Amino acid sequence: DTEVTQTPKHLVMGMTNKKSLKCEQHMGHRAMYWYKQKAKKPPELMFVYSYEKLSINESVPSRFSPECPNSSLLNLHLHALQPEDSALYLCASSRSSGNQPQHFGDGTRLSIL
Amino acid sequence: AQTVTQSQPEMSVQEAETVTLSCTYDTSENNYYLFWYKQPPSRQMILVIRQEAYKQQNATENRFSVNFQKAAKSFSLKISDSQLGDTAMYFCAFTLINTGTASKLTFGTGTRLQVTL
């Protein structure tokens, strides 16, 4: 069982839809991350939240909008996505955004029609 | 900038045998952590082992051990007594040690390991 829970596990959406990905952890971690992973490639960092504040944005297009409502939750709001945005979206958390290991969720498999 | 290189895209090993996955990295910094993550077809990234750069002793976790050569900037993973459940993509990763609020994992391109009967 993973300690980082992501929902939904699969999502299919059209390019005009608005949807959200959710991530939750109850390990008391204060850093949370969003990654995008294409098939057979390593994860690419998108966003980092530290103590509920956005600390890293890796020049991600504005059609991806992160939100950290509290220390346990991380959302990724999606709007007007493109077919190339189809990927596995992974959430991770760590005790701090320093050198502690990141714990990953199972990911959301996103398909854009 | 830091880079991580995994030169073996795919490897195969028979059950119960030993296999070594290679990883090299490049950095001008002195204080950092190295990790090996495993991603099975179930797709969750699982931490296998980590090594602090300031420790000379190689990290070991049950059947998994590393050969950390700081001067050579090499960090290989040895899996002993391979099991079918070890079949996965293995990523080597690097992060700088810092006390700030932002840090990033730099991943290698991965090695796909297949354990066969």
Side-chain angles (χ1 to χ4, degrees):
Chain A
D1 288 341
T2 179
E3 295 171 319
V4 178
T5 304
Q6 290 188 243
T7 55
K9 293 196 181 303
H10 302 274
L11 179 61
V12 180
M13 58 187 286
M15 288 190 284
T16 59
N17 292 155
K18 286 185 180 181
K19 296 285 185 182
S20 297
L21 309 185
K22 296 186 184 303
C23 175
E24 188 170 5
Q25 57 88 14
H26 293 288
M27 295 179 282
H29 291 173
R30 302 308 299 271
M32 297 186 77
Y33 311 76
W34 278 116
Y35 289 87
K36 173 183 177 181
Q37 187 179 24
K38 301 287 266 186
K40 298 184 181 181
K41 298 290 187 181
E44 300 172 21
L45 184 65
M46 300 174 72
F47 302 103
V48 179
Y49 273 84
S50 178
Y51 293 88
E52 296 91 70
K53 290 188 181 350
L54 183 65
S55 62
I56 293 179
N57 178 340
E58 290 290 288
S59 303
V60 178
S62 60
R63 57 185 185 269
F64 295 91
S65 175
E67 178 197 20
C68 191
N70 60 56
S71 60
S72 300
L73 291 174
L74 184 66
N75 299 321
L76 186 63
H77 303 297
L78 315 172
H79 174 56
L81 295 194
Q82 303 299 308
E84 62 266 26
D85 297 323
S86 297
L88 179 68
Y89 288 83
L90 292 165
C91 174
S93 70
S94 67
R95 286 188 180 180
S96 69
S97 57
N99 51 57
Q100 295 301 312
Q102 295 179 22
H103 298 257
F104 287 81
D106 288 344
T108 294
R109 178 79 62 193
L110 177 65
S111 298
I112 306 301
L113 300 178
Chain B
Q2 285 65 233
T3 60
V4 178
T5 301
Q6 293 179 250
S7 58
Q8 305 151 315
E10 294 185 1
M11 293 194 72
S12 181
V13 64
Q14 285 194 316
E15 199 177 22
E17 297 296 309
T18 295
V19 64
T20 299
L21 308 184
S22 301
C23 173
T24 58
Y25 59 94
D26 190 25
T27 183
S28 57
E29 303 291 334
N30 207 36
N31 296 319
Y32 49 87
Y33 278 86
L34 294 161
F35 305 92
W36 279 99
Y37 280 92
K38 163 186 175 181
Q39 189 175 35
S42 64
R43 72 196 195 196
Q44 185 191 3
M45 294 279 283
I46 302 165
L47 178 66
V48 174
I49 199 166
R50 73 169 178 171
Q51 174 81 41
E52 294 89 340
Y54 59 85
K55 289 188 177 179
Q56 292 187 335
Q57 187 174 6
N58 289 325
T60 300
E61 286 288 341
N62 301 313
R63 298 182 295 106
F64 299 88
S65 61
V66 298
N67 183 2
F68 174 49
Q69 302 289 329
K70 190 172 183 180
K73 296 180 181 174
S74 170
F75 182 61
S76 61
L77 175 69
K78 185 171 83 171
I79 306 174
S80 304
D81 186 26
S82 297
Q83 300 175 0
L84 295 177
D86 295 334
T87 293
M89 180 74 93
Y90 286 81
F91 290 101
C92 180
F94 170 104
T95 189
L96 290 174
I97 293 176
N98 65 69
T99 56
T101 59
S103 182
K104 294 165 57 170
L105 273 177
T106 301
F107 286 95
T109 50
T111 296
R112 184 170 299 279
L113 178 67
Q114 179 73 47
V115 180
T116 59
L117 291 171

